[in-house]
Amino acid sequence: PSVTTTAISSIAANSATSGGTVTSSGGSAITAVGVCWSTSQNPTIGNANTNNGTGTPFTSNLTGLTHSTTYYVRAYATNGAGTSYGNQVSFVTTAPASNKNW
């Protein structure tokens, strides 16, 4: 299959939003879509990932992230022929909010 990765949005200290669109099923039914992410480039479904079923386009919530950290994200689509990945996008999580009471 072919898939594109949606730009990152709603970036916070420990979460963000992405997603993707399947542009071609490759002639076989799509069995899973989602995004995968890592602090290393070219993440795969072996890294942290979401499973958003089989619909397209889809939106994924990335959670459990570490503040002030660069993450790399790719959408994926799986069918009978295997798993394909979309373009890689990166972002930096925000710094945590200050808890100081002045």
Side-chain angles (χ1 to χ4, degrees), residues 10 18 25 28 31 34 36 44 48 52 57-58 61 70 79 81 84 86-87 94-95 98 102:
S10 302
S18 184
S25 67
S28 179
T31 57
C36 48
T44 68
N52 293 89
F58 57 92
N61 295 314
T70 299
N79 67 9
S84 295
N87 51 302
T94 61
S98 174
W102 296 94

Side-chain angles (χ1 to χ4, degrees), residues 44-96:
T44 68
I45 56 174
N47 297 111
N49 66 80
T50 64
N51 184 327
N52 293 89
T54 59
T56 185
F58 57 92
T59 301
S60 301
N61 295 314
L62 290 62
T63 59
L65 307 180
T66 302
H67 68 82
S68 306
T69 302
T70 299
Y71 284 93
Y72 300 92
V73 179
R74 294 196 295 177
Y76 72 87
T78 302
N79 67 9
T83 300
S84 295
Y85 297 95
N87 51 302
Q88 178 174 278
V89 294
S90 64
F91 70 99
V92 179
T93 51
T94 61

Side-chain angles (χ1 to χ4, degrees), residues 9-32:
S9 62
S10 302
I11 299 169
N14 58 8
S15 64
T17 302
S18 184
T21 301
V22 176
T23 56
S24 172
S25 67
S28 179
I30 300 296
T31 57

